[in-house]
Amino acid sequence: MDGREMSNAAKELDTLVFAVNGERFELSEVDPSTTLLEFLRSQTRFKGTKLSCGEGGCGACDVLLSKYDPVLKQVENDKVNSCLTLLCSINGCSITTTEGLGNSKDGLHPIHKRMAGFHASQCGFCTPAMCISLFSALVNAKNANRPEPPPGFSKLTVLEAEKAIVGNLCRCTGYRPIADTCKSFAADVDIEDLGINSFWKKGDSIEDKISKLPFYDPNDEICTYPEFLKNESKPLNFKSQSWSTPLTIEGLQSLLGAGNGTRIKLVVGNTSTGYYKELEHYDKYIDLRYISELSLIRRDHTGIEIGATVPISKAILVLREENEGELCSEAELVFQKIANHMEKVASGSIRNVASVGGNLLIAQRSHFPSDIATIFLAVKSIVSIMTGQKHEKLLLEEFLGRPPLDSKSVLLSVKIPCWKSERKSFPSETETKLLFETYRASPRPLGNAMPYLIAAFLADISSSKTGVLVNNIHLAFGAYGTKHAERARKVEEYLVGKVLTFGVLYEAVKLVEAAVVPEQGTSDPAYRSSLAVGFLFEFLLPLVDPDYSVTSDPYEFDDIGNPGLVSSAKQVIESSTEYYPVGKPIMKSGAALQASGEAVYVDDIPSPENCLHGAFIHSTKPLAWVKDVKFKSKSLPDGVTDIISFRDIPKGGENIGCRTPYGDEPLFADDLTSYAGQPVAFVVADTQKSADVGAAMAIIDYDTEGLGPPILTVEEAFERSSFFEVPSSMYPAQVGDFSKGMSEADHKILSAEIRLGSQYFFYLETHTALAIPDEDDCMVVYSSSQCPEYIQTVIARCLGIPEHNVRVITRRVGGGFGGKSMKSMRIAVASALAAHKLRCPVRIYVNRKIDMIMAGGRHPMKITYSVGFKSNGKITALHLDILINSGIAIDLSPILPGKIVDSLKKYDWGALSFNIKLCKTNHCTKTTMRAPGEVNATFIAEAIIERVASTLSMEVDFIRMKNLHTYESLNFFYKGIAGEPQEYTLPSIMDKLASTSSFEKRIEMTKEYNLCNKWHKKGIALVPIIHPCSMKPIPGKVSILWDGSVAVEVAGIELGQGLWTKVKQMTAYALSLIQCDGTKDFLDKVRVIQADSLSLVQGGSTSASTTSESSCAAVRVCCDILVGRLAPLKEKLQKQMGSVTWDDIILQAHSENVNLSASTYLVPDSNSMSYLTYGAAVSEVEVNILTGETRILRSDIIYDCGQSLNPAVDLGQIEGAFVQGIGFFMSEEYLSNSDGMVVTEGTWTYTIPTIDTIPKQFNVEVLNSGHHKNRVLSSKASGEPPLLLAVSVHCATRAAIKEARKQLRSWGGSEGSDSESTFFDLEVPATMPVVKGLCGLNSVEKYLQFCASLAD
């Protein structure tokens, strides 16, 4: 090689080269801590890839990473999390984002079209990554060794298609339409199973349906790896040595040895930073992936050796490879089961880059609760380590027990031995075999979630007529609150040599209970120990009782075909042509742009020149004086420009961060912080990362001298009379005479208690704002907010300037659910204050942890009730004392009493009285979350109904129906808003749902199932809801332009609820009443434009479900005005021309100077302001008694939408709200510590529903209940009420637990009278520990004692 060639080679090695969507990028020097996501969002135009959790747990940042294997001469395509992938690690790779698939100008990809057409995008923030996840599956399916699929389809199976989006979170849709989109590409899909879409009509043949799907051609795919990169896949070594890529172990050791005092980070997939958030600066990054010794895979008769840098997904493939005779069938089965378990670890995008060795290292060094360490421990895996020249092999058990591996040592590989049963000299009738099983208890079956316990068992047994003898056994337990996975040696020693009996099994589980003891401070310690008992029992029980197994078919339930994550779903809608195009299930406006990544959210707006970024410093004390705020280092952290606090508020301005009709809240704590999580200051820096790191490095000096104790519970607030006042006009009226009702009662329950916790919004887009100073002391603010008008007011007050100097713009919001109403103000105001002081643009994108700390969430509450009822089940009186934790500021809390009482009234209580208090506590201010107070009230109502039924020993369904309203009682409880008798559709809904869901038949089937299954119990419940809705005053404006196109402005914000879509439909309908030619495709002429607080004033807040219909009503008024102005012109032109087109009329209007813009401020009249919505749901669940896991087998919903403005949009709202309600009732724990500081900080510990936890069969009917004269074209709201129906899942779970407890009593598992043991409170959320605790933490022991007693 001559000098020139050497120079070019060196240049290539010192330059980062990669491609994004086919475009070449070359970077000579990069901060090695930069992630791929940071680069994409700050340095390219490709903003479709989103930041949401920042820890690899939500999938919003997924991209396709393609790399070339020069040996095999093939491209490997893997989906990865760009938020964790370091930019320097993609040298020679190609990245494909959703923009690389297609766009609206050059042509959308079939994935984009189908996502939009199947109504699979609501807020749209998760949609680009959903598209990439599906695309990744399609790309990899092309190489599958399967028959060619039919035209328009792929080689994917339905199950694979659904699994493509496991690990991708969505808060809006409920997942069903996304699953349908994925399944539409599967070769084995039954096209009839696909849900409502905009491609075909009811009655189309299968052939017509297939022909109308956007055509997919696997051979016409995007090139994921451009040719120009094939020679660029070389190790990267920056001259600064900040990033080095050794090729040998020796080279690695040389780099490690040269680093005295140097902070070094070893890199493979960098996925550990998703769990261990790193703030430290590293001097050197060393990429290990090019060291061949670390990426080896060696397979022989002794076992499989896997190099430390081998990705988990590749290890899974290796373990699943069919052997060619070198392995016995038993060993192959062990490897297969290890692979199956590893596929449950994290998500595919994590497994594709996370290394096996890295996982074991963080388990050893940092005590990470590792699945892999646990299952490898059970099979006596061996690790290879090199320290200097010393090469050492040791058992994984010894490795885990050693002190943390030092930085000079390298984990080379792990070997999984080949296991087979020992063939000892047993009699010929004795059968010897090897058993291996793994177990996992986790809030989610798949994806990102911290497990409660992992177990793996390996046993060598011999079976004969005398029983089963344990020759050898390994029992490994991990992730239960101990430093690392451990073997239960005492249990193993006890079992070896024993013939298994119920008595032996009982002694073994008692030993396990004593061995698996979580460390102090671990949550749910007794539950975790109980899990260990249950798993061992499940493993050994079939050996004691060969005719019995504890497992059931995970997809077993009635009338379901092929197993899948979402086995089937049915939607029933009725579209209307009466007000065309209103009533048609048209595609949501902007859905295709959301899928292709072209839809612009606030953080997608390019940063203006000299833009800075902000992050909040918050308090960690609930009540303390703030003496000082400083940093760990003496100087400002790198990149930090300034710190903004209340002292920087300009003269004449106010320390205000939020205003509501009931009171204000400060922007920053002044000298006193009033709750843990309160913003104290605002760090401003050159990048968002620098701002976040700077804020995290801040130290606050506190002093509590002279301060009393904080108020942290509602009981303390009650004792100290710390309350907010509810305006008398808002406090609801009592119903009936409570004393009289109690006197008529045959039975009474007095002072029973219920407690309800909080819930976090978990919008995919966290809070964000961009503030840009403008001329003449003006400020333009882009905010992701549900109430731009309020932000405008608060910024003006904070800066001490007129409101007309502040313009707030909101185009779309990536999910809100109430969390971006009042809570969005502080984010925008802080950015504006910093921009005002520093005289440059300032933006913020709040990271997920801080968002969760500052969000406040749903109001927790304590309820004490007394209820009287007749012996026949009729309730005569109910009184409630409710203490609501409002937090430190009043916010919108005064609306809660009315909301709670309105939803409680869904049953005829005879008389209803209450005393509701808003408690002021030293907690973060709580705010209104979707169905505020109403979802709590629905649970309270059902809990009371359940308690009455239990007391009377009656079926709960009988008690529900006994207390369902007649029209007369409905009118009594809902004075003035009950409507006409024919509008009370709830009884007919209940009857119809009972019939269509086969409710009575399934009750009997459930009873039969429960008799036949000891360790799985089913429950089923049918629950009604009544939900009052109120229209709101709202402005609207419609303008017709020269070419006849129409621009519409409404104050309602598009949050994903389809508001723009309904408004477009209403505009098209109302203007088409001019009845001229050229209005048939009027929808294409209409555009709804972004909200602008200076263009449309008095906008209020987009909330309470009715903003869409209110906006439609306002737009209709504007259109009526315009039609009134145009009608005379039309008549005039008709006389002159005969046939008249829309364009003719508009040209004439311009020539005659007709005002073609109309605006209104619609104030609903008293007759149309409030109304009732009705719905009912049947849910069936199955509870695993050993783990407490609840699987939702089926949910059927009927919801009355009146005459839906858009049935597809309303269907999406119903499904999405229901699934969000499942989260509240079943899985979402929004926890805080003893100081009130939120400790649930991300996807690892906060588990919203995922595609694998929603109902396996999900049937929804959008009921068209005909004309309602006081409604907007007879429509009703759909955004919030269906969330309440998710209580049916909780009620069904309770029914299943009831059966488990009845069984436990039959085994002698509970003491006390029958009535005492049958009643129980089921908490919200009904998490696995809660459910298992009620089913009996000692159920296994009681069963074994029971069996032993029978044997005796």
Side-chain angles (χ1 to χ4, degrees), residues 96-107:
T96 305
T97 71
T98 193
E99 293 96 333
L101 309 187
N103 56 66
S104 58
K105 288 190 175 126
D106 303 321

Side-chain angles (χ1 to χ4, degrees), residues 49 59 88 153 167 231 246 312 363 412 426 640 863 1091 1219 1221 1317:
T49 308
C88 291
F153 295 90
N231 295 320
I312 293 172
L412 301 177
F426 289 113
V640 173
I863 303 96
V1219 170
S1317 55

Side-chain angles (χ1 to χ4, degrees), residues 328-331 334 417-423 433-434 460:
C328 66
S329 60
E330 289 176 325
V334 170
C418 179
W419 284 91
K420 59 182 179 178
S421 56
E422 299 177 20
R423 308 293 178 184
K433 64 178 178 179
L434 192 74
D460 185 289

Side-chain angles (χ1 to χ4, degrees), residues 506-525:
Y506 176 76
E507 293 302 323
V509 299
K510 294 301 287 181
L511 287 170
V512 164
E513 194 173 14
V516 179
V517 180
E519 293 180 354
Q520 191 170 3
T522 303
S523 63
D524 307 302

Side-chain angles (χ1 to χ4, degrees), residues 788-789 792 803 806-809 1091-1098:
E789 179 201 358
Q792 177 187 28
E803 289 183 24
V806 182
R807 167 174 263 131
V808 181
I809 298 171
D1092 182 330
S1093 65
L1094 285 183
S1095 179
L1096 211 59
V1097 300
Q1098 297 177 280

Side-chain angles (χ1 to χ4, degrees), residues 134 137 141 144 146 155-165 182 186 188:
L134 177 54
R146 294 174 186 161
K155 291 183 179 180
L156 284 176
T157 66
V158 163
L159 184 57
E160 289 169 343
E162 289 178 330
K163 280 189 172 181
I165 57 167
C182 296
D188 60 342

